[in-house]
Amino acid sequence: MTTTDIGGGSREIAIVGGGLGGLTLARVLAVHGIAATVYDQEPGPGARSQGGMLDIHEESGQRALRAAGLLDEFHRIVLPGGDATIVRDRNGTVLHADGGGNGRPEVDRGQLRTLLLDSLPAGSVRWGAKAQAVQARPDGRHEVVFADGSSAVADLVVGADGAWSRVRPLLSAATPGYLGVTFVEIDLLDADARHPAAADVVGAGSLFALGDGRGLLAHRETDGSLHVYAALPVPEGWAAGVDFTDRTAVRDAVLAHFTGWSDRLRALVVEADGPLVPRPLYGLPAGHRWPRVPGVTLLGDAAHLMSPFAGEGANNAMFDGAELGAALAAHRGDVEAALGGYEAAMFPRSAEAAAGSAEGMAMCLAPDAPAGLVAMFSQAA
Ligand SMILES: Cc1cc2nc3c(=O)[nH]c(=O)nc-3n(C[C@H](O)[C@H](O)[C@H](O)COP(=O)(O)OP(=O)(O)OC[C@H]3O[C@@H](n4cnc5c(N)ncnc54)[C@H](O)[C@@H]3O)c2cc1C
């Protein structure tokens, strides 16, 4: 593990989790000349596809990238026109359409993660390091114990390990609860050539097709594919009752939730390429917080997992990382002052984002949807 001088001597920082939040923290620390080691459970940087597009908000994600010194590089990977939005009802009727330009450019999550990874000093990330537990030691430091039997001792442990954080139990007894909605992820590859009608329904950026308390949310990806989330109001165990290895059975199970919807919208499910993947949505209670525990904190989903309906989770994870990095740089001789200041600002900020995300989900899945979303867009215009 690399060491640095955050506490007036040689101190070690362990960031558990190399998602967007943990990597932003590592990068901002590096910008300030502070070393840290990121531990991630994945075997390597390309071990799994990183999923869909993210809109990066001016007030959070973009501020974090500025603090990381990566804003220009970020603008180079933005999908031109990807921030356009279309809202349709269950009949496929367009109720709102705009060309974007709202200060929230869309970027491929995998490319953004690569940008952060490539910006770190060599050897900053230890792959294949699945944290199982974190234990307090008598000397006040903490030991991160990994699944392969190895361990790392650190003066500061940051839990950036997402929804099912192994660091969080040191601080809080909270666990994520099911939000009542399961997404099924679907891809339509090479859409303009292979799925022209579906590509036309989605447009250049994002589609929200909503009604009956459910929805088809889709966006265009940088590789020309369409990424679709079928949002289903189903019980927590629904996915376990569907054979996801049988594509026809899954498609039929998803389509059963869109009976009576326009065939142009149902085509986003019918024409699925590759596997369909269930993603039950979980959240921590809005306003989740904990008393200060020396030498440990959380960021991103580990601290404030929320529904994705307001597009806040990744933006907030990155902003947390940037703010924590800046606080540690500003309080080099006093880690507890840095953590206290970071948490004091992060708790209300994430509570507000979580409340907004819950409202966004309720609005999108309301019985009269998409009325609320259309009204929101017309007020913003
Ligand atoms: C379907 C869906 C769509 C979404 N869309 C958006 C969107 O449009 N905009 C937006 O802002 N947010 C969106 N989100 C939310 C966003 O994905 C998360 O808020 C964001 O990824 C959180 O970043 P993070 O770094 O905190 O955690 P994560 O991205 O979850 O990263 C955690 C990292 O920790 C590693 N890890 C996990 N456990 C361990 C362990 N035990 N030991 C070591 N490493 C570990 C993982 O491998 C991973 O690299 C969406 C979420 C979902 C589910």
Side-chain angles (χ1 to χ4, degrees):
M1 185 189 285
T2 42
T3 60
T4 191
D5 68 343
I6 50 163
S10 188
R11 297 287 171 136
E12 292 161 354
I13 302 177
I15 302 170
V16 181
L20 294 175
L23 294 177
T24 304
L25 170 59
R27 166 64 184 178
V28 171
L29 288 173
V31 165
H32 289 282
I34 299 173
T37 304
V38 178
Y39 296 91
D40 199 282
Q41 64 182 1
E42 301 282 346
R48 73 182 159 87
S49 146
Q50 293 295 310
M53 303 292 288
L54 298 172
D55 58 323
I56 301 302
H57 302 180
E58 247 167 356
E59 69 282 5
S60 49
Q62 290 183 48
R63 277 177 70 187
L65 287 162
R66 186 176 294 110
L70 296 172
L71 202 55
D72 289 344
E73 287 86 342
F74 160 73
H75 282 298
R76 282 198 272 278
I77 59 170
V78 160
L79 176 63
D83 51 349
T85 303
I86 297 180
V87 181
R88 298 178 184 268
D89 65 13
R90 70 201 290 278
N91 302 314
T93 306
V94 176
L95 300 180
H96 168 86
D98 66 61
N102 55 5
R104 296 183 164 190
E106 294 270 343
V107 71
D108 178 274
R109 181 197 281 263
Q111 289 182 11
L112 183 57
R113 189 174 188 234
T114 300
L115 174 64
L116 286 162
L117 275 171
D118 289 351
S119 76
L120 296 179
S124 297
V125 183
R126 201 184 118 194
W127 299 104
K130 180 178 170 56
Q132 279 193 315
V134 184
Q135 297 161 354
R137 288 167 34 116
D139 64 2
R141 306 170 87 202
H142 287 87
E143 180 175 19
V144 186
V145 180
F146 299 104
D148 64 2
S150 65
S151 66
V153 175
D155 302 273
L156 170 58
V157 176
V158 180
D161 49 342
W164 308 104
S165 172
R166 297 300 181 110
V167 183
R168 190 168 55 226
L170 279 176
L171 303 173
S172 153
T175 52
Y178 180 60
L179 297 177
V181 177
T182 291
F183 279 3
V184 177
E185 282 192 62
I186 298 163
D187 290 298
L188 278 65
L189 306 179
D190 196 7
D192 286 332
R194 299 186 60 244
H195 306 283
D200 187 52
V201 164
V202 173
S206 297
L207 164 73
F208 293 81
L210 305 171
D212 309 329
R214 62 208 64 207
L216 291 165
L217 318 174
H219 52 246
R220 194 175 275 265
E221 304 258 316
T222 45
D223 66 0
S225 66
L226 303 177
H227 195 67
V228 182
Y229 299 116
L232 311 178
V234 291
E236 185 173 10
W238 174 82
V242 178
D243 180 1
F244 270 82
T245 63
D246 179 342
R247 270 174 15 99
T248 307
V250 188
R251 263 190 340 210
D252 289 349
V254 174
L255 284 169
H257 289 270
F258 296 97
T259 303
W261 284 47
S262 147
D263 284 340
R264 295 177 69 212
L265 293 173
R266 285 167 56 90
L268 295 171
V269 181
V270 172
E271 296 182 21
D273 292 313
L276 291 82
V277 180
R279 301 260 182 239
L281 299 185
Y282 290 86
L284 286 164
H288 173 233
R289 56 193 302 149
W290 54 86
R292 180 90 290 289
V293 172
V296 191
T297 194
L298 304 175
L299 61 74
D301 279 4
H304 44 66
L305 181 67
M306 60 190 80
S307 100
F309 276 84
E312 292 281 4
N315 280 283
N316 271 266
M318 292 170 69
F319 194 60
D320 288 353
E323 290 290 277
L324 178 55
L328 289 165
H331 296 279
R332 285 178 192 245
D334 189 349
V335 174
E336 286 312 300
L339 299 186
Y342 157 73
E343 289 176 356
M346 183 268 285
F347 288 143
R349 179 174 74 236
S350 57
E352 190 181 336
S357 297
E359 279 168 27
M361 188 166 97
M363 178 178 71
C364 287
L365 302 183
D368 68 344
L373 189 62
V374 172
M376 191 189 84
F377 278 123
S378 61
Q379 276 161 21

